[in-house]
Amino acid sequence: MDSLDKKIKEALKKEIKEPYSYELAIKRALDKKKKYSLRQLVHKIIIAIVSILGVLCGSIGVYAVTGGKIEGVPIMEWIGIKFSDQYIEYKEEVKEQTNTYNKTTVELVSYLASDYITMLEFDVKLSDEDKNYLRLGESLYTEQMSNTNGYPSSLVEESKKYINTIQLGFNKEKVVGEKLDSLLDMPLTKDSVYIDGEEIICRNYETVEKISDNEYKIYHIFLLTDDDLKGKNNYNITLKNNIIANKGELKEGEENSSIALLNTPDNQRRIEIEGEFSVDVSKDKILENSKIIKLVNKKSIYKNVSQEIEEININPLQTIIRAKTTITGIDSNKKYFYNNELQNPLAIDFKVTDNEGRVLTSQSFETKKTLIYSNGKREEWAPGDIKDLVQYRNATFELKQYIVVEKSNTDKITIYPSFKAQEKGTYDEKCQELDKIEITINELKKD
């Protein structure tokens, strides 16, 4: 236990920068209740503890205070996803999708579906009783925190900088009475959706906009690959066992230190919403007005790394770029030796500029990871995963990525690939840039 205590204390001293894709892999493993080695379990427990105290694994939310009715374009730039003004034209109205808890209502009012991105828009109206129960607008700090032996004083002080805001959670297990999930269940994560009746693990991001103390507009983005959708452009989304929960948001004017608190144990509250949401969605409207271009030999190479741009989808809302990264000659015993060759990257990044050199809002997401052994055997890993116990020599990684880029009228885009690596035994990240990839759009033929 002394070793575990030491690891936890060291983790709490650091700014946690685990890639979301790695968090997804951890949550998937925990949900399936696999057996782990002691080393793996300690690592997951540390991340879980830090998560419950300060870092929310899985979906990430942002909170914006506004006044009056909201009808504009949702603000998702904080995660690198920006919609054009045509969002309003392409979102589809949803009717008769309201679920309740006592006098509190959650209504699914619209959806939008395009390549990789499906967005659901909710109106939430809280009763006074539920607003007060969730402690919305109140501090994350509770007197129990000061009375709990062993709770770090730094986190007690940090909690006073935060107030409670609201979030939605989907497909959660039922709880008994006031009992919340145990520590390792990460009760406020939202990482799955039912597609045509099948539960799919996927990234899910949330934006919350406040209309009044009791009313909120909440947007959820589900990032769904062709594999998730099995190539379908029309599909049903179902959300079961849905909850409203509280979380922490930094007070205006406050600056957080090394840990961004999203909740504290004694403050954690949630209520369960009756019924399900079920909606048939279609990409057809946006695909009819999209230009999809297959690319050949658009790649950049650095030592044992090749990054290739395979396809561009230019639609009315944004530009979606599909990329592939290939890393050859990798050895499991050199996992953190990045000085000469890349082994297993923490993150692959892409900066995108227009023909005038202006940086376009963009975000890349690793969607598939395959390990190819030297004998040709292929093994699928969760995106971002780093498996400590798997042994390989002279193997190859194949990574698939989506890059979501803001809509632009530029006739040429330039992509600057790079990768981040962590030096062995440190938290320091090293960034290696590759040669740029230039694409002249008006010279490309639609697929």
Side-chain angles (χ1 to χ4, degrees), residues 18-25 203 344-347 366-369 381-387 399:
E18 291 287 346
Y20 171 79
S21 54
Y22 189 37
E23 295 171 357
L24 177 64
R203 292 177 176 84
N344 197 336
L346 293 179
E366 183 181 316
T367 61
K368 188 174 183 178
K369 186 169 196 169
W381 290 17
D385 202 0
I386 301 175
K387 295 186 178 181
L399 314 176

Side-chain angles (χ1 to χ4, degrees), residues 5 16 83 106 138 208 237 250 253 275 282 291 300 353 392 408:
D5 289 341
I16 305 302
F83 294 92
V106 180
E138 298 182 37
V208 178
I237 287 182
L250 198 66
S282 174
K291 182 180 181 181
S300 181
T353 63
Y392 45 87
S408 172

Side-chain angles (χ1 to χ4, degrees), residues 381-408:
W381 290 17
D385 202 0
I386 301 175
K387 295 186 178 181
D388 290 335
L389 300 183
V390 177
Q391 300 295 313
Y392 45 87
R393 291 287 303 275
N394 196 28
T396 298
F397 270 134
E398 282 187 358
L399 314 176
K400 294 284 189 177
Q401 298 107 356
Y402 281 74
I403 313 169
V404 182
V405 186
E406 70 172 284
K407 177 70 174 175
S408 172

Side-chain angles (χ1 to χ4, degrees), residues 232-244:
K232 293 178 289 189
N233 295 329
N234 298 277
Y235 45 95
N236 174 270
I237 287 182
T238 301
L239 304 174
K240 308 176 181 181
N241 297 343
N242 307 311
I243 64 170
I244 298 175

Side-chain angles (χ1 to χ4, degrees), residues 8 22 30 34 95 103 137 155 157 174 184 204 206 238 242 247-248 253-254 286 335 415 427-428 444:
I8 293 173
Y22 189 37
L30 289 172
K34 293 181 179 179
K95 295 182 179 180
K103 295 182 180 180
L155 290 181
E157 292 304 311
K174 294 288 186 178
L184 288 181
N204 174 10
E206 174 184 84
T238 301
N242 307 311
K247 67 171 183 177
E254 292 280 7
I286 289 181
K335 190 167 297 177
I415 302 168
Y427 289 92
D428 298 329
L444 301 175

Side-chain angles (χ1 to χ4, degrees), residues 161-418:
K161 300 179 182 180
Y162 291 77
I163 59 173
N164 281 297
T165 62
I166 191 174
Q167 62 178 320
L168 287 180
F170 306 120
N171 307 322
K172 308 316 299 177
E173 295 296 326
K174 294 288 186 178
V175 296
V176 179
E178 295 295 315
K179 179 183 176 294
L180 294 176
D181 297 350
S182 64
L183 183 64
L184 288 181
D185 286 333
M186 300 179 188
L188 301 185
T189 63
K190 303 173 288 294
D191 53 17
S192 70
V193 62
Y194 285 87
I195 303 294
D196 292 335
E198 178 184 357
E199 187 173 16
I200 302 295
I201 303 296
C202 67
R203 292 177 176 84
N204 174 10
Y205 296 93
E206 174 184 84
T207 286
V208 178
E209 296 179 345
K210 181 178 179 180
I211 299 175
S212 69
D213 288 344
N214 295 67
E215 296 183 54
Y216 298 84
K217 178 77 74 176
I218 299 181
Y219 300 92
H220 275 271
I221 280 184
F222 297 92
L223 302 182
L224 299 167
T225 67
D226 287 344
D227 288 342
D228 294 330
L229 298 176
K230 299 178 180 178
K232 293 178 289 189
N233 295 329
N234 298 277
Y235 45 95
N236 174 270
I237 287 182
T238 301
L239 304 174
K240 308 176 181 181
N241 297 343
N242 307 311
I243 64 170
I244 298 175
N246 62 0
K247 67 171 183 177
E249 182 72 15
L250 198 66
K251 294 178 183 177
E252 186 174 355
E254 292 280 7
E255 294 185 4
N256 65 309
S257 57
S258 60
I259 297 178
L261 286 175
L262 293 177
N263 220 319
T264 56
D266 295 317
N267 176 71
Q268 219 164 237
R269 308 287 176 87
R270 77 184 199 178
I271 57 178
E272 297 174 3
I273 304 300
E274 299 170 0
E276 300 178 354
F277 295 103
S278 181
V279 59
D280 294 324
V281 305
S282 174
K283 296 182 182 180
D284 290 344
K285 187 175 180 179
I286 289 181
L287 289 178
E288 288 173 0
N289 295 287
S290 299
K291 182 180 181 181
I292 300 175
I293 305 159
K294 301 288 187 181
L295 301 174
V296 178
N297 200 30
K298 289 292 183 180
K299 63 175 61 176
S300 181
I301 298 174
Y302 172 81
K303 293 186 177 180
N304 64 321
V305 181
S306 172
Q307 290 188 329
E308 181 175 5
I309 305 302
E310 297 184 315
E311 179 181 297
I312 294 181
N313 180 332
I314 303 171
N315 67 51
L317 303 181
Q318 59 239 149
T319 296
I320 310 291
I321 300 173
R322 302 192 193 201
K324 180 177 78 172
T325 299
T326 303
I327 309 169
T328 60
I330 59 172
D331 297 337
S332 56
N333 64 341
K334 296 181 181 179
K335 190 167 297 177
Y336 297 103
F337 298 168
Y338 298 118
N339 293 331
N340 298 317
E341 291 184 331
L342 177 65
Q343 292 294 313
N344 197 336
L346 293 179
I348 303 292
D349 292 327
F350 301 85
K351 183 177 74 173
V352 182
T353 63
D354 63 13
N355 55 352
E356 296 181 351
R358 182 176 71 91
V359 177
L360 301 174
T361 299
S362 67
Q363 182 60 54
S364 61
F365 303 90
E366 183 181 316
T367 61
K368 188 174 183 178
K369 186 169 196 169
T370 305
L371 176 67
I372 306 172
Y373 291 88
S374 57
N375 63 4
K377 176 186 174 183
R378 301 175 69 90
E379 184 174 286
E380 297 295 327
W381 290 17
D385 202 0
I386 301 175
K387 295 186 178 181
D388 290 335
L389 300 183
V390 177
Q391 300 295 313
Y392 45 87
R393 291 287 303 275
N394 196 28
T396 298
F397 270 134
E398 282 187 358
L399 314 176
K400 294 284 189 177
Q401 298 107 356
Y402 281 74
I403 313 169
V404 182
V405 186
E406 70 172 284
K407 177 70 174 175
S408 172
N409 293 323
T410 183
D411 59 6
K412 184 178 78 171
I413 61 173
T414 303
I415 302 168
Y416 298 85
S418 64

